[in-house]
Amino acid sequence: MGNLRRVALLLLSLVVFAAPVVAKVLPTDPERLVIETGDGPVEFSVELALTPADRASGLMNRTSMAADHGMLFRFDQTREVLMWMKNTPLSLDMLFIDEAGTVIRIAERTEPYSEAIIPSAGPVRYVLELNGGTTSQRGISVGDTVRHRVIGE
């Protein structure tokens, strides 16, 4: 009976450890996020990462994201923010946004799976993650204004 039990445990462990990691997908907010650029407004549908648990998982384990989609992180207070790309297979553009909705820094085309720290370089309240290369393709720059119902609440 001991050998049968060991085989059963081995098979169970193979199933558990071979199970794919499922990416957490948050509901898409019905209101579109708008970035006022020098060339005019640019809109995105966004998932909202408002809780510590949602901010911790972010876009980890996502293998794709629609071109007009992103994730908006809201922090509990305005402060220096540190981000990273651990377990994130997508290259992202990270927009660091102050309390008033102004983009103060953009980290473009971040490196997938990297554990390097990506700092906000100043106090922010929000971070918007978009597909890597979106900011240059859509003319989004530092100083642009981001509008959404959760910004400035």
Side-chain angles (χ1 to χ4, degrees):
M1 196 61 133
N3 285 338
L4 183 58
R5 184 175 174 182
R6 276 188 228 121
V7 170
L9 287 174
L10 176 62
L11 288 174
L12 180 61
S13 67
L14 288 174
V15 169
V16 169
F17 291 114
V21 176
V22 178
K24 181 177 181 181
V25 178
L26 300 172
T28 300
D29 193 74
E31 181 179 324
R32 296 196 42 100
L33 178 140
V34 177
I35 302 174
E36 298 293 343
T37 74
D39 296 330
V42 178
E43 294 187 10
F44 297 93
S45 59
V46 291
E47 296 172 48
L48 301 176
L50 307 178
T51 67
D54 290 343
R55 289 190 302 265
S57 61
L59 291 170
M60 286 182 174
N61 303 307
R62 299 274 187 99
T63 57
S64 66
M65 184 167 62
D68 72 336
H69 198 82
M71 182 174 280
L72 179 64
F73 295 74
R74 182 183 67 195
F75 297 90
D76 297 331
Q77 59 187 340
T78 300
R79 61 181 173 81
E80 177 87 17
V81 170
L82 304 173
M83 304 289 281
W84 68 350
M85 295 291 294
K86 182 176 182 177
N87 298 325
T88 306
L90 297 173
S91 176
L92 300 172
D93 287 352
M94 293 182 185
L95 288 72
F96 295 91
I97 304 163
D98 70 11
E99 201 165 85
T102 303
V103 177
I104 67 159
R105 177 175 187 254
I106 299 173
E108 292 186 69
R109 298 182 189 269
T110 57
E111 182 183 342
Y113 298 108
S114 174
E115 293 186 20
I117 300 300
I118 304 164
S120 60
V124 297
R125 182 76 188 270
Y126 313 94
V127 174
L128 175 63
E129 292 182 342
L130 303 170
N131 284 306
T134 300
T135 56
S136 61
Q137 292 167 0
R138 304 294 297 271
I140 300 167
S141 305
V142 169
D144 288 349
T145 302
V146 181
R147 291 187 292 113
H148 188 270
R149 67 180 176 79
V150 302
I151 295 178
E153 278 188 339

